[in-house]
Amino acid sequence: MSSDLNTTESPSPPATEPTSLPPPPPQKQALPEPPVPTATIKDILLWKRKRLNIAAIVISTATWVALEIYRFNFITAASWVAMFVVAAFFIWGNIDRLLGKEPAADMSRVYISQQSAEKTADVFRRCVNQSVEFTLRLGAEREWYVVAAAVAALWVLSVIASHLDLLTLLYIGEMVGLTLPVTYNKYEQKIKESGQRFKVLYRRYYNMVLQKSSELKTMMLQKTGDLKNKLASKHKHKEKKRE
């Protein structure tokens, strides 16, 4: 027992708990990127989304018929459409409740995301910048026929607009916008070939007109020079007679 008392027990080092790293933050699931507005518009113009094309045609035609033919007021028609939408959603929600289903509470698809709004604003900004750039480049254009074509197109548009109202013009523009791009995409090669032939033919006649005008100018200068020489010789002859 004395041996037990004499022996000094060495203090054991305190047990250190293993340092545990903090758990990593939960990774946020990447939200799917919303469709780009330009891609959607391109799909509509090329008839890749036929449901959207048919919906656009039906809505625009119904709006034009209601406001232009039946002479409804725009505010009245918009109020009726809003009432129909509200009533349809109300009836739809009540039918879901009667069937034991909860109405859809996820409205994320209805909201406009910030990314979509920024992309739409960027597309609008680029369109405005391209329009301003085209206008400035047109003012500095050396080829007169480009300026003449732009002025003629604007004049034709003004004449057409004087006989139609804004709603009809927008309706015609939408129908043309839904028809021309898909037609051009289908017959693109033939249209390009016809355009190249037209450019070659136009350049040929343009060069002919320039050549004829330069020859006419040279002829007129020669005639005016001969006339001046004749007048000068007559004047000298008269002066000699006077002497």
Side-chain angles (χ1 to χ4, degrees), residues 150-161:
V151 173
L154 293 174
W155 178 75
V156 170
L157 181 62
S158 66
V159 171
I160 294 174

Side-chain angles (χ1 to χ4, degrees), residues 9-235:
E9 296 179 355
S10 60
S12 60
T16 58
E17 296 180 356
T19 58
S20 60
L21 297 175
Q27 296 181 355
K28 295 182 179 180
Q29 295 182 356
L31 297 175
E33 187 178 355
V36 184
T38 52
T40 305
I41 295 172
K42 184 178 179 181
D43 292 341
I44 292 174
L45 293 177
L46 296 179
W47 284 78
K48 293 182 179 180
R49 299 187 181 185
K50 294 185 179 180
R51 292 184 178 179
L52 291 178
N53 288 104
I54 294 173
I57 292 174
V58 170
I59 292 173
S60 58
T61 304
T63 304
W64 182 76
V65 169
L67 298 181
E68 190 66 22
I69 296 179
Y70 290 100
R71 299 295 180 181
F72 283 111
N73 192 3
F74 176 75
I75 298 178
T76 304
S79 300
W80 286 358
V81 171
M83 286 188 293
F84 174 76
V85 171
V86 171
F89 276 107
F90 178 75
I91 295 171
W92 187 10
N94 284 308
I95 290 174
D96 286 341
R97 291 190 185 92
L98 290 176
L99 295 176
K101 298 179 181 179
E102 289 294 330
D106 185 13
M107 302 296 291
S108 60
R109 295 183 179 180
V110 182
Y111 297 148
I112 299 175
S113 63
Q114 183 177 359
Q115 191 174 4
S116 299
E118 290 177 354
K119 288 183 178 180
T120 305
D122 184 65
V123 171
F124 179 74
R125 179 184 60 82
R126 279 186 289 164
C127 291
V128 172
N129 290 336
Q130 288 176 0
S131 301
V132 173
E133 183 182 359
F134 174 75
T135 305
L136 295 176
R137 189 172 64 248
L138 189 64
E141 189 68 42
R142 292 184 179 181
E143 297 180 350
W144 63 270
Y145 59 88
V146 178
V147 181
V151 173
L154 293 174
W155 178 75
V156 170
L157 181 62
S158 66
V159 171
I160 294 174
S162 63
H163 299 283
L164 300 173
D165 56 353
L166 180 61
L167 182 63
T168 305
L169 283 176
L170 292 177
Y171 179 71
I172 293 174
E174 183 180 357
M175 293 298 106
V176 171
L178 292 175
T179 304
L180 285 184
V182 67
T183 305
Y184 178 80
N185 189 32
K186 187 176 181 180
Y187 302 102
E188 183 177 2
Q189 190 63 30
K190 294 182 179 179
I191 293 173
K192 286 183 178 180
E193 291 176 358
S194 301
Q196 291 295 331
R197 287 196 297 267
F198 177 76
K199 284 183 179 180
V200 171
L201 188 64
Y202 176 79
R203 288 287 183 181
R204 184 188 303 171
Y205 284 110
Y206 181 71
N207 292 330
M208 288 174 59
V209 171
L210 285 180
Q211 185 178 0
K212 294 291 184 182
S213 61
S214 62
E215 290 177 357
L216 183 62
K217 185 178 180 181
T218 305
M219 189 184 301
M220 294 295 293
L221 289 174
Q222 289 178 357
K223 288 185 177 180
T224 52
D226 294 339
L227 184 60
K228 286 181 180 179
N229 292 330
K230 288 181 179 180
L231 292 175
S233 61
K234 286 182 179 180
H235 185 67

